Amino acid sequence: MTSPAPRAPRRRRGGALGRLSGVLLLVGTLVGVAAVPVGAVLTAGADWTKKQQDQLPSQLLAPPTAQVTRIYANDGKTLITTFYDEDRHDVALGQISKTMQDAIVAAEDTRFYEHGGVDARGVARAFVNDTQSGGAQQGASTLTMQVVRNVLKEDPNLTPQERIDATADTPARKLKEAEYAIELEHRLTKQQILQNYLNIVYFGGGAYGVEAAARRVFGTTPAKLDLAQSALIAGIVQNPDVDNPISGDKTKARARQEYVLAAMAKAGTITPAQQQAALKEKLTYSGATQPNGCIDAHGATDGWGFFCDYLQRWWDQQPEFGKTVDAREDALRRGGYTVITTLDPQIQKEAAKESRAVYSLKNKKTLPIAVVEPGSGKVAALAVNRHFSNGNSTSETTNPLVSGGGSVYGYPSGSTFKMFTMLTALEAGMPLNSVYDSPAKLTTPWPDGGPGNCGGMYCPGNDNPSWMDGPRSMWNGFGRSVNTYFVHLEEQVGPAAVVAEAKKLGIAFSAPADAQLARNPGSWGAFTLGVIDVTPLELASAYATVAAEGKYCKPLPVQSIKDATGRAVPVATECKQVLSPDVARAATDAARCPVGEQSTYGKCDGGTAAQVAGIMGGRPVAGKTGSTENNMTETFVGFTRTYAAAGIANDPVNPSDHVGSSVEGLVVNAVAHTLNTAVGSDDYPGFTPPSSAIAFGS
């Protein structure tokens, strides 16, 4: 239905005397004075006008209201969650239906388009009615005065006491409110004031502003509110806790709707026929609230909360959102940002499914899987066989099992760390065909007081001597995961250089014990065998550096951010070339051996994860398995030019509860299937072959 053409708004911008007369009449009402001498008005005019212009708080012109921050998946449409202290999202007046605009004016300030901020006629009427009833029965606040009161009450830049003072029931406060309202009418148009009012006023049930009210009460947008809906929402404002049909009294809400419709008909903004039709309309209430924080994140089945938690941790470290973590959190919950993340729902879904195919939700062991885009650091998925929840069951946790943080440092990932030793050797000028005899057990020059040492020296062995022992190069030493070959290689370049290489590729050494060893790594012979704690996200990012031909990018959970005004907030991608492209290409060439592919020069002769080539449909892929001592954990990391994925099977509560060798193949399959989903069904760029010089030496 359509409303009759509204009357053209009339602005009353009478000068200082006109504005003063309204204020002084209000003062007279507050103190019980029947009249104010006209001479006082004439004397005070010019000085008063200048004073109000100087004293008007700037926030009244552009209200700094708390607004909802919305977090979306990488398509910019799929909502992950929202963060808010107050459920409010500002909208332009043009995004609010005309019936809603008319309804709020009829409900709260029928002479809104007639007065100049203070309605002298309304004040007089309220004064007479209150005097006759013996108490305050009828208010005289205009929409403009309510804007002033609500802005000051909600202003996050004011002290708690200043916010309390903004609503104090005192003549001084009411006078100041009226003075500000008059000056505000001089600075803003009626349309601007109405827009600010509709965005700041409280509608009960946790809904601040008309956007939240329309969504929570009727599950729609302000632009789609019809007459019956508009009148009901407008009627809530007077007593939002009681007259709200969701959290209050439905009968009283409908009574207020009838009042508003009658007021609109009396004002001429609707016809009597429209009034009756709206009264007969059957209303269906939504009552739906939007999620607030990571616990409420959508995609609970696929564990979107783990990605959300990583995003929040990232946000808390960004100085552009505040000088302190508390300030940044405040910005997240009150700033009204629109954040488009890097989360790919399809990749996340597959990663969660594959993780839970290895370990159920109720299993005490976990398989966290991370997926990263080489060359950008964009995090596409962070999944694990858990629900992101504060519950007490095994299936529920809020610990950052995939990305790390707090007291979660990660898990040993075994032979995946041989990559760092190989890169170090390549950078030192050793070619891929550097051949060494790899014995079943190798005595090193590094002291070792632990069990299994050889005369007090560290002496690691090969897990499968018959398959691993003998002369090996980087190609088949990596493909067959020969421990003694890589420990010998580490001897040649030095553990300190290998530790430094790992740091270059983003390994954080977060665990205190690991950090301590990293400060003096000269005798750390076991480092190449992956004995430190690392998260799947760190591992995927490190291998993504190799996939990106030596370009390391710090993991990044966002694509774009806009503030409440729509202004883009710069999101810096922290990328740095840490390897020469040829070194990265050579390491990639060797990393094709473990996954059942062949290197550029045909030097692969067996791999520990040969099934991966078939899972990827024969398309270019590389990667590495990792088994820790006594199979405490099992790891696989795979990569293409477009994605890298890593998963580590472990027991996050009791590391001594080993996952066992039987799960190795399952982990490989889970990560490979996740990687295959990430790259999609189409072809993707292949790997660039390394130079013959780095392959065979000059």
Side-chain angles (χ1 to χ4, degrees), residues 75 439 638 667:
D75 60 5
V667 172

Side-chain angles (χ1 to χ4, degrees), residues 532-609:
I532 77 163
D533 287 342
V534 63
T535 67
L537 180 58
E538 284 179 286
L539 198 58
S541 296
Y543 274 69
T545 305
V546 180
E549 300 194 332
K551 183 181 180 181
Y552 170 74
C553 293
K554 189 174 181 179
L556 182 68
V558 299
Q559 293 189 136
S560 66
I561 301 175
K562 291 183 179 179
D563 65 16
T565 68
R567 180 184 64 87
V569 178
V571 177
T573 301
E574 297 182 45
C575 293
K576 182 179 180 181
Q577 193 75 28
V578 297
L579 304 170
S580 76
D582 207 27
V583 165
R585 292 166 186 167
T588 298
D589 204 53
R592 300 185 73 175
C593 296
V595 297
E597 291 215 331
Q598 188 52 264
S599 67
T600 301
Y601 302 101
K603 299 299 182 179
C604 298
D605 62 2
T608 55

